[in-house]
Amino acid sequence: KVEITVHGDLDHPQHQKTLQIPRTVNSLKNDLSKILFQKSTSDCTLIVGEEESSMETINAHKAILCARSPVFHAMLQSRSDGYGEEMKFGEGFENTVRISDMEPDVMRSLCTYMYTETCSDATLNVNADKILRAATKYQVLGLVNVTEEFLSRNISIQNACDMLYLADLYCA
């Protein structure tokens, strides 16, 4: 809640009025979640899937991907050729990134985190190892930390060897 006091004649305190303006419920996280995967505002496409039959197209925004992941930044940025002409490199030329080593639901989870900084325990219960791999690959360090914390909270006798393997593989 924000309070604003408007003063009239300072000699007469009865002229003071206080206005109360309710704080809006909008936040950057909520606003970005509204454009997540929205085709009408997207400016790049992620084509994700290991096999042709399971490929999916994910609509995204270069500014968000580049700001949140140095790997996406390197893939999508333009560079100058030194003569004032812009050169496009790699995937950035067509604003399309082909990701063949990841399942679409894992990429959606990665994108969701990059836009909203959220990843549910239900999602991690199903794909924590794959999400840790994706977050490490694209250097989304916040999600790496979230996933590592989730895995450490859920270690058991049954999965201790798997956890040791993941910890060694990703230097966790």
Side-chain angles (χ1 to χ4, degrees):
K1 181 160 74 172
V2 177
E3 289 187 12
I4 299 173
T5 303
V6 179
H7 297 278
D9 185 356
L10 295 178
D11 292 335
H12 300 288
Q14 71 269 19
H15 293 292
Q16 293 183 0
K17 294 182 181 178
T18 301
L19 302 173
Q20 294 184 356
I21 302 170
R23 183 169 291 190
T24 61
V25 293
N26 290 344
S27 69
L28 183 60
K29 177 175 109 173
N30 291 337
D31 292 342
L32 290 178
S33 71
K34 292 174 189 172
I35 65 166
L36 178 62
F37 311 128
Q38 192 177 76
K39 185 175 184 173
S40 64
T41 62
S42 69
D43 60 357
C44 73
T45 304
L46 309 175
I47 300 173
V48 186
E50 296 175 13
E51 300 174 14
E52 289 288 327
S53 61
S54 64
M55 282 186 200
E56 288 186 30
T57 298
I58 297 175
N59 297 301
H61 304 83
K62 288 185 351 180
I64 303 289
L65 299 180
C66 290
R68 303 290 289 165
S69 165
V71 176
F72 275 118
H73 186 267
M75 293 166 73
L76 293 168
Q77 73 180 344
S78 299
R79 297 187 183 140
S80 170
D81 67 358
Y83 299 101
E85 293 293 320
E86 192 175 86
M87 294 174 28
K88 304 279 187 173
F89 287 91
E91 289 85 356
F93 183 70
E94 297 178 9
N95 293 327
T96 300
V97 179
R98 174 77 176 93
I99 301 169
S100 59
D101 62 345
M102 191 176 303
E103 296 170 12
D105 57 332
V106 174
M107 180 52 72
R108 277 192 297 278
S109 296
L110 180 69
C111 287
T112 298
Y113 185 85
M114 288 193 288
Y115 280 67
T116 67
E117 286 197 343
T118 59
C119 188
S120 70
D121 280 358
T123 299
L124 290 169
N125 267 330
V126 176
N127 286 322
D129 56 334
K130 295 172 186 173
I131 291 171
L132 179 59
R133 180 180 174 275
T136 301
K137 176 180 178 178
Y138 291 98
Q139 297 178 20
V140 181
L141 302 181
L143 184 55
V144 169
N145 292 337
V146 166
T147 308
E148 287 175 348
E149 288 174 21
F150 173 83
L151 290 169
S152 67
R153 285 193 320 266
N154 291 286
I155 195 164
S156 66
I157 291 172
Q158 291 80 13
N159 68 13
C161 290
D162 293 333
M163 297 295 175
L164 179 61
Y165 172 75
L166 287 174
D168 182 57
L169 186 62
Y170 298 113
C171 301

